[in-house]
Amino acid sequence: MIYEFDECVLDTAKQQLWRGGEPIHVEPQVLAVITYLVANHDRVVPKIELLDEVWESRYVSESALTSRIKLARKACGDSGREQRIVKTIHSRGYRCVADVVQCDEFDPVGTRPEPPRQPGSSSSVRALSTGAFRRSSTTLFGRDRELDALSGALAAAVGGQRGAVFVRGGMGMGKSSLISEFVERHDELADWHVARGRCIQMKSGPEPYFPLFDALSHLARSNAHVVTVALDRAAPSWLAQLPSLLDDAAFHRLERRLLGATPARMLREGVDAIEALALDRPLLLVVEDLQWADECTLGLLDHLLLRSGPASLLLLGTCRGSGSQAASVIEPAAAQGRATLIELEPLAVEDVRALVGDRLGGAAIDDDIVSIVAERSGGVPLFVEEIVTTLTREHRLAIGDGVVTASGPPNELASTVPASLPVMIERELTAIDPACLTMLEVAAVAGQHFDAATVAAALDRPVPDTEDLLAELARDSALIGSVGASVWPNGTVSADYTFAHDLYRHVVYDRVSPGRRALFHGRIGDALEAGYGDQVGSIAVVLADHFVQAGGTIRAVRYLTRAGEQANARNAHQYGQRFLADALDLLDRVPPGTDRDRLELTVRISLGSSLVATMGWFDESVSANYERCLELSANDDRLVVEQAAARYGLATVSELQGRFERTEMLLTPLLTDDQLVIEAHELVACSMFHQGAFARSLATANTVLDRWDEDTYSVEMARIAEHPASSCNSWSSLASWALGRSDESLALAERAVELGERNLYALSTAVQQRAMLHQIRHEPALCIEWSDRCRQVADDQQFPMRMVQADIYKGWALGVTGSVELGLALVADGIERFRTAGAMLNEAYYLGLHADVLLHGGDPVRALVLLDQAFERMRASTRSYFFESELHRLRARGFTDGDESVGLDAARAELDRSLEVAAAQGSKAFELRTTIARVELETEHGDPEAWRSALGELLTVWTGQAPTPDVERARALIA
C-alpha cells in the first residue's frame, strides 16, 4: 500500500519513506509507528494499542513510545511544536491529522490528487454527531503567554540557569494540559531527564515524599542505572527507599549504613539527588497537584528553590487555588524572584470560540452557541469540552454552509446545558455501556491511576478481556487515557490507565454504593497484596487505604503500621505518628484478646520511635507508650524482643529524667539476655557515669567495646541517634579522665568522634561528649572549638538538645575567659531551653557551670543561689552524682568570695565534703582539683603545708602523662 500525506510518501510494501522526493532513512520501529498511524488516520490510536501493534509486547515503557513518536515526527518533517502530521491527544493517544491519500503507484514528484472535502463544507444542513467531535486535542487556546513563559524558563535552564515555574488555577483550567503541551512541543526534551510525579489525595493521609519518589521511579524505568548511580553518590537515604534498584545484599548494606539518619539528612539528600541527576543531563522535574502535597515534599521543594548555584534544572509544579499549604512555598518564592507563578485565567470568548471550533473539526461556530458555551462554562476549558460533548451526543448541534448552529432555538439549547460540571459528567456516564461503566466504577475505586490487572481482579474476569474493554472505553470517551503498561512484582503485566481529570474519577466514585465500594476496595486490596508479595511495603499506604474502606480492620492496622514504619524510615516521623495513631484508633474496634494485644504491641513499638522524634524523650506520651508496651508484653513469654524494646525505651526515659534506680531495675534483666544486651550495657555505662561510679562505667563500656563487631549494628540505638561503640568510647573517655587517666581519655574521645563520622547519626553525641570532656578538664579554648562543632552538627541533623548543650558549654568557656556577660547569656538561655524541653538529667551540672561563670564575674550571691538549686535537683535522686564533688568545691568558693568572716569555716567544710565524695567515687581528677582549692585557701588563710604534701602525692597519678591544666596548676603551687 502507498500513502501520500503532506510532503511524504510511504510505501508499506517496500518499507520506505520519501519526503520532498528524497528517501528518508527511518529505523524499523519508527517506520512501524508511522505506518500504523497513517493507516488509521481516521481515528485516535490509543497508546496501548500502538505499543501492542509495534512492539508485540505490552511491557514497554511509555518513554520508549514517546521517543519513537518524536523520531517519527522528525522523519516526516513535523515537530512537537507544530504537530501538522502526528498530533498528541492528551491522556488518550496519537492521531495522524494530515490529509492522507491512498495510491496504487508511487510518483514522488507527481501531483497529488485534490484532497477530500473537509467536514462542514457541504451546503446541506445535517446533524453533528459525536463522530465529528475531537476531544482533548493537544491544541491549547488562550495560553500562548503561558507557553512562552515556560519556553523561556526552559531556554534559561539549557544555559545552566536553574528555574522554577508554578502553574496555578482552579479545577479544569488546564494546568496538566498546559504542562503536557509544553513537554510535547519541545523536541529537545528528548535529550533531558524528564521526571514527572503527582501528589495523590488519600483518606489515610499523604505518604511523605510520595510525588518525588513517584517521579524518580518513573525516571528509573528507562534510566535505572543513571538514577541508581546518582542516588548512591548523592542521596543514599533516598536510594534505600527504592529497593527495586538494588539486589538484596546491596540493599541490606545500604540499610545498615543509613541507620539513624535524620530528617535534615533526608531533606538535604533529596535536594542533592535532584541536582545530581541534573549533572548527568538537564533535568525537568514536574510535580503536579501540589494542593495535596505532604509537608516533607513542600519542605524539599522550598529548599530546592533556595539553592542558587548554576544547574541545568527546571522545576514545574501545578496547584489548584491559593488556599492550600503549597501557597506557603509558592508565593514567597515568586515574590522573591526565585520562581515564576502563572495564574491560569478563564478563557476569553474568542478563545472559547477557537476551542469549540477545534473540537468540532475546525468548523465556524454560530455566535449564539459561543455565547451559551462561554457563559455556562465560565471560560473553564474542561467545562467547555464537557458542554460540547453533551451537545453533540444529544444531537443539539447541526452544520450547514460550514457553520455549526443550534438544531433548535438558542434558548432551548441553553436550557439543555447543565449548570454544573459534575451533573454534565453524570449525563455522559449514562451513555456508556453498562459493562464498561461497571469497569469504570471499579477503576475509580482503584484510584486516579490504575491498571487493567487491578480492575480484572476486582471483577473476577480475565485480564485480556478487561484490557479490551478499557481500550474501547479510552477510545470512545475522554474519561480515561492509556499511559503505557505496568508490571507487578509477581510478573503480572497489564495496560496502565489514568483518569483524564480527577473530577471524572470523583464523580464516578461517588455514584458507587457504599456496599459495592467496600467490596471493590477489599478485592483490589487482595489482588495488590498477592501481586506485590514481599514488596507490599512499597504500597503500604495504598493497601491501608483500601482495607480501611473495605472494613478489613486487622489488615488495615497491619498496613497502617507498615506505612508508619516506612514514614519513620524516611525520617518523616510526624507522618509515622499519624499512621500509627490511626492504627491504634482502629484497634478499638477489635475485641479484646491475645492477638489484639500483640498487634497493639507491634504498633506501639513502632510508635515509640515516632513519638521520640516528634515529641522528645521527656514528653509524657513517650513514657506512657513504653509503659503500655511493657504491660502488653509482661505476661507473654513469646514477646521477648518486644519486652526488651519496651524495657530499653523506658530505661532511656528514666535515665534522662535522672531516675537512676528505675533505670537499673529496667536494665538488669537485659544484661544477661541476648536481646539488646549491647544496648543495655551502653545505657548502664551512661547511668553509672552520671552516678559517679566511674570505674563501673568504664568496665561496662569496655564490655560493649570488647564485644562490638563493625559488621553488626544496633537498630534500637540508631533510632535514638546513638551508636553503641561511639557512645561507649565517650563514656570511657569521661570516666577515664575522672579516674586520672587523662591521656587515655583523649584517645578514647578521638575514637568516639572517628566512629561518629562513620555513623553520622552518632556524631552529634560524640562531639557533644568531646565538648563536655574539655569542660570538665577546664580547657576553655578546646571547649569552644568542640561546642561550635557540636552546634554545627546538631543544626545539620536537627537535634535541638545538642544545640542547647553546645550553647551551655560555650557559655561556660566564654564566661571563665573574660566574656562574662556573653557567657552568662548563653548558659542561662541554654538552661531555660533545657527545662522547657522537659529535660532533667544533668540539670545540676549545668547549674554548676552557670554558678562558675557568676563566680568568675564576681557575683557569689547569685552563684550560691544557683548552687542551692543544683543540690536540690541532685537530691531528687538517692544516688550519688558525677558532678557532686565539683558542686561542693564551687560552693566553697562562693563562701570565700563572699563575707570571709562567715564563709571560711563553711568553705573548709564544703571542701572536706568535696574530697569525701571524690574519694568515694574513686575520682583522682576531682580530688586533685579540690586539693588545689584547699592549698590556695590555706595559703591565704592558714597552714598549707599538709595540703601541699597531699597534692604532691596526688600528682604521681599523672606521672608520664601530658599535663592537664589542673596538673600544671598543682605543680605551680608546689613549686
Side-chain angles (χ1 to χ4, degrees):
M1 182 68 69
I2 296 172
Y3 296 98
E4 290 190 24
F5 55 96
D6 201 77
E7 298 178 348
C8 301
V9 176
L10 174 63
D11 188 332
T12 59
K14 295 181 179 179
Q15 290 289 287
Q16 180 63 59
L17 176 72
W18 283 266
R19 190 178 81 235
E22 298 292 331
I24 304 297
H25 173 71
V26 186
E27 295 177 4
Q29 280 186 341
V30 177
L31 189 65
V33 168
I34 297 171
T35 301
Y36 198 78
L37 289 174
V38 169
N40 294 275
H41 64 275
D42 59 329
R43 66 183 180 89
V44 175
V45 177
K47 293 177 183 178
I48 194 66
E49 181 182 334
L50 201 53
L51 287 168
D52 287 346
E53 292 296 331
V54 175
W55 277 269
E56 299 181 355
S57 168
R58 291 186 174 88
Y59 186 47
V60 178
S61 68
E62 188 180 358
S63 61
L65 175 58
T66 302
S67 68
R68 302 308 190 278
I69 289 292
K70 289 183 183 295
L71 291 172
R73 284 182 175 137
K74 183 177 181 181
C76 296
D78 195 9
S79 70
R81 184 180 295 274
E82 293 180 295
Q83 299 192 27
R84 293 178 294 102
I85 298 171
V86 178
K87 183 173 253 186
T88 301
I89 312 301
H90 290 312
S91 300
R92 296 182 64 194
Y94 301 95
R95 183 175 182 179
C96 175
V97 293
D99 298 331
V100 178
V101 177
Q102 297 182 19
C103 309
D104 295 326
E105 297 180 2
F106 168 50
D107 180 11
V109 295
T111 305
R112 291 182 54 189
E114 198 64 33
R117 244 171 229 235
Q118 293 299 313
S121 61
S122 170
S123 60
S124 62
V125 176
R126 58 186 176 81
L128 263 178
S129 67
T130 52
F133 175 62
R134 294 188 295 112
R135 190 172 182 187
S136 296
S137 159
T138 190
T139 306
L140 293 179
F141 295 92
R143 303 301 187 212
D144 292 342
R145 179 179 62 84
E146 291 83 356
L147 286 168
D148 287 344
L150 291 171
S151 297
L154 180 67
V158 170
Q161 181 181 339
R162 68 175 70 220
V165 181
F166 294 99
V167 180
R168 192 163 68 180
M171 184 172 59
M173 292 299 291
K175 300 178 290 295
S176 294
S177 296
L178 178 68
I179 299 296
S180 296
E181 172 76 0
F182 162 71
V183 172
E184 195 70 37
R185 283 190 177 199
H186 290 277
D187 294 332
E188 62 267 37
L189 286 172
D191 298 324
W192 283 49
H193 288 313
V194 179
R196 197 163 184 171
R198 182 185 298 274
C199 308
I200 295 178
Q201 186 181 31
M202 302 194 73
K203 292 187 181 298
S204 298
E207 179 182 335
Y209 294 115
F210 173 81
L212 299 171
F213 280 113
D214 185 36
L216 289 172
S217 297
H218 280 88
L219 182 59
R221 291 179 187 177
S222 55
N223 298 278
H225 178 70
V226 170
V227 174
T228 303
V229 170
L231 295 186
D232 186 53
R233 181 178 70 249
S237 61
W238 283 66
L239 182 58
Q241 301 302 312
L242 296 168
S244 61
L245 297 179
L246 301 169
D247 59 41
D248 288 344
F251 176 70
H252 289 306
R253 284 197 301 272
L254 182 62
E255 249 191 339
R256 189 182 73 193
R257 176 175 144 206
L258 292 170
L259 274 171
T262 64
R265 180 179 180 181
M266 189 79 182
L267 181 64
R268 181 183 65 251
E269 288 191 0
V271 176
D272 291 344
I274 294 168
E275 296 197 337
L277 286 169
L279 289 174
D280 178 69
R281 63 170 73 174
L283 172 66
L284 173 64
L285 174 62
V286 181
V287 185
E288 300 192 63
D289 291 327
L290 284 167
Q291 71 274 4
W292 294 322
D294 60 280
E295 295 171 9
C296 297
T297 295
L298 292 176
L300 188 146
L301 294 181
D302 193 35
H303 276 69
L304 183 64
L305 291 168
L306 288 170
R307 295 276 180 101
S308 57
S312 295
L313 167 64
L314 178 58
L315 166 65
L316 299 184
T318 67
C319 184
R320 185 185 298 172
S322 59
S324 68
Q325 192 175 3
S328 64
V329 172
I330 295 172
E331 291 175 0
Q336 297 162 16
R338 293 183 283 116
T340 299
L341 176 58
I342 295 176
E343 299 275 10
L344 290 186
E345 301 294 338
L347 298 180
V349 173
E350 288 310 307
D351 295 323
V352 171
R353 181 190 300 277
L355 176 56
V356 174
D358 179 76
R359 298 316 188 247
L360 295 177
I365 311 297
D366 182 75
D367 289 344
D368 288 337
I369 295 177
V370 173
S371 296
I372 292 170
V373 174
E375 179 185 352
R376 288 302 177 90
S377 68
V380 177
L382 182 64
F383 206 171
V384 171
E385 295 203 24
E386 282 297 332
I387 290 173
V388 177
T389 301
T390 299
L391 296 179
T392 52
R393 186 182 63 246
E394 297 179 359
H395 306 292
R396 301 285 183 177
L397 302 178
I399 187 166
D401 296 326
V403 178
V404 176
T405 61
S407 57
N411 59 345
E412 182 181 310
L413 180 67
S415 66
T416 65
V417 178
S420 72
L421 192 51
V423 173
M424 193 167 292
I425 296 172
E426 277 286 359
R427 282 172 59 169
E428 184 175 352
L429 294 175
T430 60
I432 296 177
D433 176 79
C436 288
L437 184 57
T438 298
M439 199 163 290
L440 197 63
E441 290 173 345
V442 173
V445 173
Q448 178 71 24
H449 188 98
F450 61 93
D451 54 43
T454 301
V455 177
L459 292 174
D460 193 22
R461 61 182 302 156
V463 172
D465 292 352
T466 305
E467 287 182 315
D468 290 342
L469 281 176
L470 287 172
E472 179 184 335
L473 190 60
R475 184 172 62 248
D476 295 341
S477 80
L479 296 172
I480 63 171
S482 167
V483 288
S486 65
V487 184
W488 290 356
N490 70 350
T492 300
V493 182
S494 69
D496 228 1
Y497 290 90
T498 185
F499 280 89
H501 195 281
D502 66 286
L503 179 62
Y504 295 147
R505 186 224 165 190
H506 284 297
V507 171
V508 176
Y509 185 86
D510 290 343
R511 74 194 313 275
V512 184
S513 66
R516 291 175 68 235
R517 194 183 297 167
L519 175 66
F520 291 151
H521 274 298
R523 288 181 176 178
I524 289 169
D526 291 341
L528 291 173
E529 191 177 50
Y532 275 75
D534 58 4
Q535 295 186 34
V536 290
S538 64
I539 57 168
V541 178
V542 174
L543 286 171
D545 216 44
H546 283 303
F547 288 126
V548 164
Q549 297 183 80
T553 304
I554 297 296
R555 293 163 84 185
V557 168
R558 289 188 177 129
Y559 284 112
L560 281 169
T561 305
R562 293 286 292 270
E565 292 168 348
Q566 182 187 74
N568 287 344
R570 293 179 182 178
N571 292 291
H573 298 284
Q574 68 274 35
Y575 289 97
Q577 184 180 342
R578 291 178 198 174
F579 288 132
L580 294 163
D582 287 346
L584 289 178
D585 288 343
L586 281 178
L587 277 173
D588 289 340
R589 306 177 189 175
V590 180
T594 303
D595 291 340
R596 183 216 168 278
D597 287 350
R598 287 180 187 168
L599 195 52
E600 182 186 348
L601 181 60
T602 302
V603 175
R604 287 192 177 277
I605 292 294
S606 296
L607 181 60
S609 300
S610 300
L611 289 173
V612 169
T614 56
M615 309 300 291
W617 278 103
F618 308 104
D619 192 85
E620 291 182 3
S621 63
V622 174
S623 54
N625 182 70
Y626 281 123
E627 291 283 8
R628 177 61 176 159
C629 288
L630 195 59
E631 178 187 343
L632 289 166
S633 61
N635 299 318
D636 194 329
D637 294 337
R638 289 167 294 182
L639 300 176
V640 178
V641 175
E642 291 81 0
Q643 186 177 128
R647 282 184 170 276
Y648 180 74
L650 273 178
T652 303
V653 173
S654 62
E655 176 67 14
L656 293 172
Q657 292 174 340
R659 299 165 62 194
F660 302 130
E661 297 89 345
R662 182 98 198 277
T663 302
E664 186 173 358
M665 182 271 291
L666 288 163
L667 289 179
T668 298
L670 301 183
L671 297 176
T672 55
D673 197 328
D674 289 338
Q675 303 298 328
L676 301 180
V677 63
I678 291 291
E679 295 87 341
H681 275 81
E682 186 278 338
L683 193 50
V684 168
C686 166
S687 186
M688 290 300 103
F689 172 79
H690 285 110
Q691 294 178 55
F694 300 121
R696 186 178 171 190
S697 175
L698 182 61
T700 308
N702 285 336
T703 299
V704 174
L705 296 175
D706 290 343
R707 299 178 62 172
W708 179 253
D709 180 358
E710 275 297 323
D711 292 330
T712 64
Y713 55 85
S714 166
V715 174
E716 289 302 320
M717 289 196 68
R719 285 173 178 163
I720 57 173
E722 299 284 7
H723 180 280
S726 178
S727 293
C728 283
N729 272 287
S730 288
W731 299 127
S732 295
S733 169
L734 292 165
S736 293
W737 177 85
L739 295 169
R741 306 174 188 177
S742 58
D743 284 359
E744 184 180 334
S745 77
L746 283 177
L748 289 164
E750 289 172 4
R751 176 61 175 161
V753 173
E754 178 187 340
L755 285 168
E757 287 173 338
R758 293 186 201 170
N759 306 273
L760 292 180
Y761 58 91
L763 184 58
S764 70
T765 298
V767 294
Q768 182 270 135
Q769 299 282 62
R770 183 73 182 265
M772 180 180 178
L773 174 66
H774 291 298
Q775 188 287 310
I776 63 174
R777 286 170 63 101
H778 278 191
E779 297 170 328
L782 288 170
C783 183
I784 290 173
E785 177 185 332
W786 285 97
S787 295
D788 287 342
R789 177 87 185 278
C790 177
R791 208 181 202 295
Q792 178 185 3
V793 173
D795 184 60
D796 184 52
Q797 298 185 357
Q798 292 299 294
F799 290 151
M801 188 53 65
R802 294 289 183 252
M803 297 181 198
V804 167
Q805 292 166 310
D807 287 350
I808 292 174
Y809 299 143
K810 185 173 183 176
W812 169 85
L814 290 171
V816 299
T817 53
S819 301
V820 175
E821 292 303 318
L822 179 57
L824 284 174
L826 275 173
V827 175
D829 180 64
I831 292 175
E832 182 61 31
R833 284 151 51 208
F834 181 81
R835 288 170 168 166
T836 300
M840 286 173 275
L841 180 66
N842 281 347
E843 184 178 354
Y845 169 44
Y846 299 145
L847 288 168
L849 299 189
H850 194 177
D852 197 3
V853 177
L854 285 169
L855 290 170
H856 276 80
D859 192 348
V861 175
R862 286 176 60 198
L864 288 170
V865 170
L866 289 177
L867 289 169
D868 286 343
Q869 293 177 15
F871 278 106
E872 182 181 348
R873 173 58 65 193
M874 189 184 69
R875 284 191 289 269
S877 169
T878 58
R879 302 294 177 91
S880 180
Y881 184 59
F882 85 96
F883 207 61
E884 183 178 353
S885 174
E886 279 289 84
L887 292 175
H888 284 292
R889 183 186 67 80
L890 289 169
R891 182 182 265 176
R893 182 177 170 187
F895 289 149
T896 58
D897 288 357
D899 186 347
E900 291 183 6
S901 64
V902 177
L904 284 177
D905 288 341
R908 289 187 175 100
E910 288 296 329
L911 291 175
D912 288 344
R913 179 59 184 152
S914 176
L915 286 172
E916 289 174 9
V917 172
Q921 294 177 344
S923 175
K924 294 298 182 181
F926 285 135
E927 191 176 347
L928 176 68
R929 187 169 295 165
T930 301
T931 304
I932 290 171
R934 189 62 182 264
V935 170
E936 291 175 336
L937 175 67
E938 299 303 338
T939 297
E940 188 171 352
H941 300 287
D943 181 5
E945 291 310 312
W947 293 104
R948 288 181 193 275
S949 176
L951 193 59
E953 291 179 12
L954 275 172
L955 280 173
T956 60
V957 173
W958 283 268
T959 301
Q961 299 190 71
T964 66
D966 286 339
V967 169
E968 290 179 339
R969 191 173 169 190
R971 288 173 179 171
L973 283 173
I974 291 176

